[in-house]
Amino acid sequence: VSEPWTGLDVLDEAACRERLGRVRVGRVAITIEALPVVLPVNYRVLDGDIVFCTAAGTKLDAAVRNAVVAFEVDEVDVEARVGWSVLVIGHAEEIVDAGEKARAAALGIDPWVDGSATRFVRIHAERVSGRRIAGAG
Amino acid sequence: VSEPWTGLDVLDEAACRERLGRVRVGRVAITIEALPVVLPVNYRVLDGDIVFCTAAGTKLDAAVRNAVVAFEVDEVDVEARVGWSVLVIGHAEEIVDAGEKARAAALGIDPWVDGSATRFVRIHAERVSGRRIAGAG
């Protein structure tokens, strides 16, 4: 995914990953019933991949099973016309291995869901790209 | 798109539209070269629809031509575990009518692009839904 924007500075992968590591909320883009959907999730980084929670039985949970999804984080200051966005694209899968589940559980992800059985989903960070948003000034 | 989340309160359409009207940055989910992509855009509401800018010749510009896209805005306070998200799904099209272009230009959208020829894109707000994010407390 090269240059979806013009006039914006490209962030190198290290800069993208640094930003992924310090933000806590991102948005995952999935397909539900053949329609595009974007939802915010509380996430953490594990081995360079994105990990978030879903509740068993939800459409979100179903949508992230072995699908290629997009995950985005950004910080934008509208008044100052500065900011950045980072995009991760990769296969999503439920974490089922007991050891990996324990590691995911230790990340401290807040699933925003009360009392439901949560599953951990990993988005393999196969493509990581980012842009600085630099206004015309 | 019903209940992708559990444990979250549904926002009615009026509450969704009020939030769309007061936020300035949202994220549009599109498909570029068969991959899902999410990008932040500076937007405004026009006749209940979402309007933002693209630069002519970019992949974003091509991707939003007569495609069904998702558009999302949210405000999340991670510490307080409160927030909301609103999702708009609908057909995107370039605004080509001169009168409509003048109305779009008057909205004061900052295209974040320096010196490029900008086009105005309208996402018809055919489906509007939203959720309150209420943490387990």
Side-chain angles (χ1 to χ4, degrees):
Chain A
V1 184
S2 59
E3 304 304 330
W5 291 86
T6 61
L8 306 183
D9 292 329
V10 174
L11 294 174
D12 66 23
E13 184 167 339
C16 292
R17 291 189 177 277
E18 184 275 326
R19 284 162 170 79
L20 287 171
R22 65 174 152 88
V23 178
R24 291 290 172 261
V25 177
R27 290 108 201 149
V28 61
I30 53 178
T31 301
I32 296 181
E33 295 171 1
L35 290 174
V37 169
V38 180
L39 295 171
V41 295
N42 192 349
Y43 78 98
R44 292 292 188 285
V45 174
L46 182 66
D47 303 330
D49 294 332
I50 305 300
V51 177
F52 64 97
C53 295
T54 64
T58 58
K59 290 176 181 177
L60 174 62
D61 187 54
V64 293
R65 294 177 175 273
N66 305 309
V68 173
V69 304
F71 176 82
E72 186 260 8
V73 296
D74 63 55
E75 286 181 354
V76 178
D77 183 328
V78 175
E79 300 303 320
R81 305 182 76 202
V82 295
W84 55 266
S85 69
V86 169
L87 177 68
V88 174
I89 302 174
H91 287 80
E93 61 170 11
E94 184 185 346
I95 297 176
V96 292
D97 175 81
E100 291 296 291
K101 283 173 77 167
R103 293 182 67 214
L107 294 171
I109 302 169
D110 180 344
W112 293 340
V113 178
D114 191 4
S116 304
T118 57
R119 301 172 191 268
F120 291 104
V121 175
R122 176 195 297 251
I123 301 174
H124 293 272
E126 291 151 12
R127 293 171 182 235
V128 178
S129 61
R131 300 288 184 277
R132 236 174 240 108
I133 295 165
Chain B
V1 182
S2 60
E3 305 304 332
W5 292 87
T6 60
L8 306 183
D9 294 324
V10 173
L11 294 174
D12 66 23
E13 184 168 338
C16 292
R17 290 189 177 277
E18 184 275 325
R19 285 163 170 77
L20 288 171
R22 65 173 153 89
V23 178
R24 292 289 172 260
V25 177
R27 290 107 201 152
V28 60
I30 54 180
T31 300
I32 295 180
E33 296 170 0
L35 291 173
V37 169
V38 180
L39 295 171
V41 293
N42 192 348
Y43 79 99
R44 294 292 189 286
V45 173
L46 182 66
D47 303 332
D49 293 332
I50 306 299
V51 177
F52 65 98
C53 295
T54 64
T58 59
K59 291 176 180 177
L60 173 61
D61 187 55
V64 293
R65 294 176 175 275
N66 307 308
V68 174
V69 304
F71 176 84
E72 187 258 7
V73 296
D74 62 56
E75 287 181 354
V76 178
D77 183 327
V78 175
E79 300 304 318
R81 305 182 76 202
V82 295
W84 54 266
S85 69
V86 169
L87 177 68
V88 174
I89 301 175
H91 287 80
E93 61 171 12
E94 184 186 347
I95 298 177
V96 291
D97 175 81
E100 291 297 292
K101 282 174 77 168
R103 294 180 68 213
L107 293 171
I109 303 168
D110 180 343
W112 292 340
V113 177
D114 190 4
S116 303
T118 57
R119 301 171 191 269
F120 291 104
V121 175
R122 177 195 296 253
I123 301 173
H124 293 271
E126 291 149 14
R127 293 172 180 235
V128 178
S129 61
R131 300 287 183 280
R132 235 177 239 108
I133 294 163

